[in-house]
Amino acid sequence: MAKFVVEFEYNVDRAGRQGLHPAHAENLYRLADNGVLLLGGPLVGENSGLLVYEVETREELQRILDDEPYVKGGLVARTRIQEWAPGKGSWIAALNSSHKASEEVPAIEGAR
């Protein structure tokens, strides 16, 4: 699975996005529930948002972005997409240790 960092730069201010915000938020929650959206949120002091997706291919990501309500509504002036290979940091260490811990749990004899 590939991870991508996506930045949306908007062509309207926050107030101008309010009409589509419920659909945008619902879409992001659905993607998060499906394990596709890892993180997302506005960039403080900027008229843009940053999102991290995990998908099989760049083409799959493009289909997801094309279906984004802010994109469909014409509110995104620019989209910047970078494939990302995270490998260091406290989140990575926590993920690695929780994954290893689940693999190392010994079976208990006689347990059903």
Side-chain angles (χ1 to χ4, degrees), residues 31-101:
L31 291 169
D33 287 346
N34 291 333
V36 173
L37 178 67
L38 303 180
L39 292 169
L43 291 171
V44 176
E46 300 292 326
N47 192 27
S48 58
L50 193 66
L51 305 113
V52 180
Y53 295 92
E54 184 173 52
V55 292
E56 289 290 335
T57 65
R58 173 65 176 79
E59 292 74 23
E60 180 183 353
L61 175 66
Q62 191 60 55
R63 287 191 295 276
I64 290 166
L65 297 180
D66 289 345
D67 199 38
E68 160 58 47
Y70 282 173
V71 171
K72 290 169 86 172
L75 304 183
V76 177
R78 183 175 74 96
T79 304
R80 183 174 177 215
I81 302 169
Q82 295 287 319
E83 188 167 356
W84 185 42
K88 295 170 185 63
S90 60
W91 286 0
I92 299 298
L95 287 172
N96 287 339
S97 66
S98 69
H99 180 69
K100 287 178 186 173

